[in-house]
Amino acid sequence: MADIDGQRATTAQFEQALDSLALASRQSAKLRIHNVSELINIILAYGKLHGIPALALSSLFNVITGSNHLDQVSVTTLIKGLYPATEVSPSLLCTVVNSLGQGKQKPSSATQNQLLRWIILVMDVLENGSILEKLYSVLFNLIDMITIRANLCHVLALLTRRKHVKPYRIQILLELSRNIGNDPALLGLLGVFKEYYPDVILGQTRGKIARFEHPDLEWQERLRIIQGSNLKPFEKTQVQSTSFKVTRRSLKYGQSDILPEVHTYRADESSTTLEQINGLDDFVENLENIELPNQLVSILDDPLLQDYLLLMANKFPQSRVDHWLGLFFDAQLESIIENGKQSKALIEMLQKAQRYARRTKALPTSIESFIIAYLPHWNGVETRPLILGLLEYLSLESFADLQTRMFNPLEHAILDSTSPSAATILAFYTSLLRHWTTKLLAQVLPSSTSPSTIPPPPSSSTTLQSLTNHASVLALTLLTSDSPTQSTISTVLDYHEALAHTISYAPIHPQIYILTPVPETIYLLLFLSPSLSSISRLCSLLATYKRTFEMYMARPPQTSVPELYPKDYVNHFNGFLMDICNLLWRSRAFNTTDTNALGCLLPPSLHASLKFYLASLTPPHSLPTIFSLSLNPVLCRASIAAFRELEDKAISEEGDAIQIRHAGPVSQRSLQALVGDGGLEVGWGDYRLEVLRWLRRRGVGGVGELMGCTMKHLMGNGI
């Protein structure tokens, strides 16, 4: 068999190597026909790429733990390369644990050490994590074996829970520690026991205590990659959604000890601790009886504790978390003032805090206080995504207070008279608007409140209005900067789409007010947008406004409730819609004689200049039609493509249906002339409808959506 060390082993080579190794292990070195080292290389090469399948893994451990003639170097090399392709089964763990101990039929001490090390490495991928807890007594009874004690104590330290800490076990550990001269591994395990019963063990241990570190982080990372590649997409989702267990740092790649782990001390036998939870069913069954851990700040790093907080917020003392974090951030702020830079510990803590905020949709007051104190010393660049990502979850309170304490210093640190910095701030306000909208919608309204008895907007609505007014000015500033880019326009549209989503709840929520966009912003977006998607997004959000106003106005009249939206206010918004319809659909651009039309706020002097300029071109153009579907610089290409599609369809159905194609651009007059020349016969209205349908089929249906809810004769046309 060829040596493929370092190369990719095929499945056939792997299976052949397994059978050959099982045979060679039962033969003495002199009688073997296969090179054991070569067989192991093939197995390890395959396993490092694909992982060892469950049946093959079981077969290999039967070889390792049974009677064999393999040398120690080969066995050690083999165990170190056994990456499970899937979760490790309870039966396999029982086989491994059963091979530990003293006896002629047991593997060597070196092999047993490697087996315990392998258990530590795979503890995060066990099919049933409770199996090792059930074997705790078996493992603990091996504590007197000096040769395997270090790895054995490590395994026991990872498994130990309050129920495992018994007086007789404490006595055994103390006696062993005294008799053999304070073994670091024993002291490390005693330290774990001491966390549960500090009064019993306090002051009885001396010497260097072992800190159980992960034996091989690179190995575990490789295992994670292998198992991740072997999971199907739905299995990956299932794994992520069913991990209802306390996080243990030693099993996580690259974690530091900046936060304490979840540990519950002084709990009695009748209570349940989070450490005892071993799955979703267990969590739900014991939810009401769970004893809170001692170090509640570990909630920032433990998803299970976060789940408990979300479900039992009324029982969670948040002040204890804020006190711990307050002390930490005070020390970090002093360090920043003295040294002028952030520490790695601060960055790591902010990262954990951001993950916590995203999961709980809340920002601890201690973190908010730190950011307020830190902003005057911040350069606006360092850890910007973290700072903004945390501030997205500010609570809904007085905007004036927030602006003084938070927003003004934040803008002072970030804004530098450039569009990208302003876009960053606007994107932050957009995220904050989404969060506040979610918070408002989650509030329980009084039972007497209904869409038909909507009261005037209270303070929460005032805060929301203040935010949108402030952000709207910033959006307009962005658009009036020198040559706004597509990215800038998209950021402005993101904000207005979020605002449109918020106001869409106004008819059913009394604290949400329909605040219309700034007129100049709408017209700038309309004329500056360089893409179909931007025009479509703008029209779609305006259609949302239109439908929201209609829903609100359709409610039964209430004489006892003041009118929130005067007729002039609604008509002013309708002016936006009329202007857009005049531009795109009615070929009456900048007209001011129609009801509510604003003429895109174009000054009369400029209107006359543009009209004169277009008339002087060759061929001359008309100002009212220059932004229609056929001539609009963004929509013209789509319009002629839609007409070409109509022509192609006519030709495919009847080859001689048309004698000539339209040269473009399409107009009402050119369509009439086209019929006389033997071209496609289609009406002006049908052509424009086809353009809107063509856009919708390609995912840019915003224009048709706005026309359909604004132009009465288009309602119900399926656009």
Side-chain angles (χ1 to χ4, degrees):
M1 185 178 296
D3 185 2
I4 63 165
D5 185 23
Q7 302 178 19
R8 298 190 175 211
T10 65
T11 302
Q13 290 173 322
F14 171 73
E15 293 175 349
Q16 184 180 354
L18 283 177
D19 296 337
S20 299
L21 182 63
L23 177 63
S25 67
R26 296 190 293 269
Q27 299 172 335
S28 63
K30 294 182 180 180
L31 298 177
R32 291 174 189 155
I33 59 175
H34 297 292
N35 186 321
V36 170
S37 178
E38 183 179 313
L39 296 174
I40 291 176
N41 285 340
I42 295 173
I43 293 171
L44 298 187
Y46 182 88
K48 194 168 185 178
L49 286 175
H50 311 289
I52 309 296
L55 290 177
L57 197 63
S58 178
S59 174
L60 287 169
F61 272 107
N62 287 334
V63 170
I64 294 169
T65 59
S67 178
N68 62 72
H69 294 276
L70 300 178
D71 62 275
Q72 187 60 54
V73 174
S74 298
V75 172
T76 300
T77 303
L78 181 60
I79 296 175
K80 287 184 176 181
L82 295 182
Y83 295 94
T86 57
E87 292 180 328
V88 178
S89 67
S91 60
L92 180 58
L93 280 175
C94 289
T95 298
V96 174
V97 174
N98 185 56
S99 68
L100 304 176
Q102 299 175 348
K104 292 182 179 180
Q105 301 300 319
K106 300 288 186 178
S108 66
S109 298
T111 299
Q112 291 187 39
N113 254 320
Q114 291 300 320
L115 292 173
L116 285 167
R117 179 180 180 274
W118 186 82
I119 290 177
I120 296 170
L121 291 171
V122 301
M123 199 172 285
D124 213 21
V125 293
L126 302 181
E127 183 180 318
N128 183 359
S130 64
I131 186 65
L132 280 178
E133 292 188 17
K134 295 176 181 178
L135 295 171
Y136 189 92
S137 296
V138 176
L139 293 168
F140 190 88
N141 288 338
L142 303 174
I143 199 72
D144 59 342
M145 289 187 64
I146 299 176
T147 53
I148 65 171
R149 184 175 292 149
N151 282 332
L152 179 63
C153 286
H154 192 169
V155 172
L156 290 171
L158 296 174
L159 295 176
T160 299
R161 300 291 182 267
R162 180 177 51 80
K163 63 182 180 180
H164 299 126
V165 183
K166 306 295 184 183
Y168 74 90
R169 287 176 180 156
I170 296 175
Q171 191 63 33
I172 290 174
L173 292 178
L174 289 173
E175 289 180 2
L176 279 174
S177 179
R178 286 192 293 266
N179 293 338
I180 65 176
N182 294 323
D183 184 296
L186 280 176
L187 293 179
L189 183 56
L190 263 174
V192 176
F193 275 44
K194 183 178 178 180
E195 292 177 350
Y196 295 97
Y197 290 97
D199 296 338
V200 177
I201 308 176
L202 183 63
Q204 300 193 41
T205 59
R206 293 181 180 179
K208 183 179 180 181
I209 298 178
R211 185 170 182 260
F212 297 114
E213 297 180 352
H214 198 283
D216 195 338
L217 290 171
E218 290 184 6
W219 194 97
Q220 192 183 50
E221 178 65 11
R222 182 64 199 166
L223 175 63
R224 185 189 64 80
I225 294 172
I226 290 171
Q227 295 219 336
S229 63
N230 289 335
L231 286 176
K232 297 177 181 178
F234 74 91
E235 291 175 328
K236 293 180 182 179
T237 303
Q238 188 178 28
V239 168
Q240 293 171 359
S241 63
T242 57
S243 54
F244 281 83
K245 297 180 183 178
V246 164
T247 301
R248 287 304 176 209
R249 186 169 297 116
S250 57
L251 299 181
K252 296 293 181 182
Y253 180 74
Q255 285 190 334
S256 70
D257 55 357
I258 189 173
L259 287 173
E261 291 184 338
V262 172
H263 286 293
T264 309
Y265 313 134
R266 305 180 186 277
D268 55 46
E269 295 294 333
S270 61
S271 62
T272 302
T273 66
L274 283 172
E275 299 96 302
Q276 294 174 282
I277 300 300
N278 193 33
L280 176 58
D281 293 338
D282 204 12
F283 179 68
V284 173
E285 183 178 349
N286 295 284
L287 182 61
E288 296 289 342
N289 300 319
I290 290 177
E291 189 81 14
L292 285 173
N294 291 65
Q295 292 281 12
L296 292 181
V297 73
S298 56
I299 191 173
L300 265 68
D301 208 25
D302 193 276
L304 182 59
L305 187 52
Q306 292 170 9
D307 289 335
Y308 179 80
L309 166 63
L310 292 173
L311 296 171
M312 307 293 289
N314 58 326
K315 293 185 178 181
F316 193 87
Q318 183 67 41
S319 58
R320 287 172 54 186
V321 177
D322 286 325
H323 177 71
W324 193 100
L325 289 174
L327 295 176
F328 173 85
F329 285 123
D330 286 346
Q332 293 297 321
L333 187 60
E334 290 180 7
S335 175
I336 290 173
I337 295 174
E338 292 177 3
N339 304 323
K341 61 180 182 179
Q342 299 175 340
S343 66
K344 292 182 179 179
L346 175 61
I347 295 174
E348 183 178 347
M349 181 65 80
L350 292 177
Q351 290 171 339
K352 294 179 184 296
Q354 186 182 33
R355 289 194 293 268
Y356 167 82
R358 284 175 177 171
R359 186 177 177 88
T360 62
K361 302 297 183 289
L363 185 66
T365 56
S366 54
I367 298 176
E368 181 179 335
S369 299
F370 163 74
I371 295 177
I372 291 173
Y374 173 55
L375 284 177
H377 307 281
W378 185 40
N379 59 15
V381 177
E382 197 174 22
T383 62
R384 178 188 289 180
L386 285 176
I387 298 295
L388 295 179
L390 286 166
L391 293 181
E392 289 176 9
Y393 299 99
L394 285 169
S395 57
L396 182 57
E397 52 187 275
S398 169
F399 183 82
D401 292 342
L402 283 174
Q403 189 169 27
T404 302
R405 293 185 293 111
M406 191 75 71
F407 299 149
N408 286 343
L410 182 69
E411 292 182 6
H412 178 75
I414 293 179
L415 293 177
D416 56 5
S417 302
T418 64
S419 294
S421 64
T424 298
I425 292 293
L426 183 60
F428 161 68
Y429 286 141
T430 302
S431 299
L432 183 62
L433 175 61
R434 293 192 182 109
H435 173 64
W436 281 0
T437 300
T438 303
K439 284 291 186 182
L440 271 180
L441 296 176
Q443 292 177 0
V444 178
L445 298 176
S447 57
S448 60
T449 301
S450 68
S452 62
T453 59
I454 299 179
S459 57
S460 296
S461 179
T462 302
T463 297
L464 213 59
Q465 289 180 55
S466 299
L467 172 66
T468 53
N469 285 331
H470 183 72
S472 295
V473 172
L474 183 61
L476 180 59
T477 303
L478 265 174
L479 292 177
T480 54
S481 62
D482 294 336
S483 303
T485 63
Q486 174 62 42
S487 176
T488 299
I489 291 173
S490 182
T491 301
V492 174
L493 283 169
D494 286 342
Y495 162 70
H496 282 90
E497 284 175 331
L499 180 56
H501 172 75
T502 299
I503 64 96
S504 67
Y505 293 98
I508 60 173
H509 200 291
Q511 295 183 354
I512 296 178
Y513 182 80
I514 306 177
L515 187 68
T516 58
V518 177
E520 291 81 0
T521 300
I522 296 300
Y523 296 129
L524 285 172
L525 286 171
L526 185 63
F527 292 115
L528 295 177
S529 295
S531 67
L532 279 174
S533 63
S534 298
I535 292 290
S536 177
R537 292 171 65 187
L538 173 63
C539 291
S540 182
L541 70 89
L542 290 175
T544 300
Y545 271 92
K546 172 68 172 175
R547 289 191 294 267
T548 303
F549 270 122
E550 289 176 346
M551 289 177 61
Y552 185 88
M553 298 304 174
R555 80 194 196 288
Q558 298 291 319
T559 56
S560 60
V561 179
E563 182 61 60
L564 284 180
Y565 310 107
K567 186 176 181 180
D568 290 345
Y569 184 81
V570 178
N571 288 341
H572 187 70
F573 170 77
N574 286 333
F576 304 161
L577 308 187
M578 179 57 70
D579 285 347
I580 295 175
C581 290
N582 282 341
L583 284 168
L584 303 179
W585 188 262
R586 304 179 69 204
S587 299
R588 294 168 61 88
F590 309 113
N591 177 59
T592 57
T593 60
D594 293 318
T595 304
N596 301 322
L598 302 174
C600 300
L601 303 181
L602 192 69
S605 58
L606 183 57
H607 184 280
S609 298
L610 288 176
K611 188 175 181 180
F612 176 79
Y613 169 74
L614 291 172
S616 66
L617 295 177
T618 305
H621 289 279
S622 170
L623 181 59
T625 63
I626 196 64
F627 290 101
S628 63
L629 292 177
S630 297
L631 297 175
N632 190 290
V634 177
L635 296 168
C636 60
R637 190 168 183 177
S639 299
I640 193 63
F643 195 85
R644 293 278 181 265
E645 197 171 276
L646 288 175
E647 291 178 328
D648 292 340
K649 181 180 179 182
I651 293 173
S652 64
E653 292 177 352
E654 189 176 349
D656 57 351
I658 60 176
Q659 305 299 321
I660 188 175
R661 286 181 177 270
H662 199 300
V666 179
S667 66
Q668 189 169 7
R669 183 176 299 176
S670 69
L671 286 178
Q672 295 172 352
L674 186 66
V675 176
D677 295 335
L680 180 67
E681 183 176 359
V682 60
W684 174 239
D686 292 335
Y687 152 71
R688 290 180 294 167
L689 281 174
E690 181 58 30
V691 172
L692 298 183
R693 295 187 182 111
W694 188 93
L695 291 170
R696 186 195 61 189
R697 291 195 296 268
R698 283 152 182 82
V700 281
V703 178
E705 183 182 358
L706 180 60
M707 297 298 110
C709 71
T710 304
M711 307 298 292
K712 292 183 179 180
H713 67 281
L714 294 181
M715 297 177 181
N717 273 286
I719 56 172

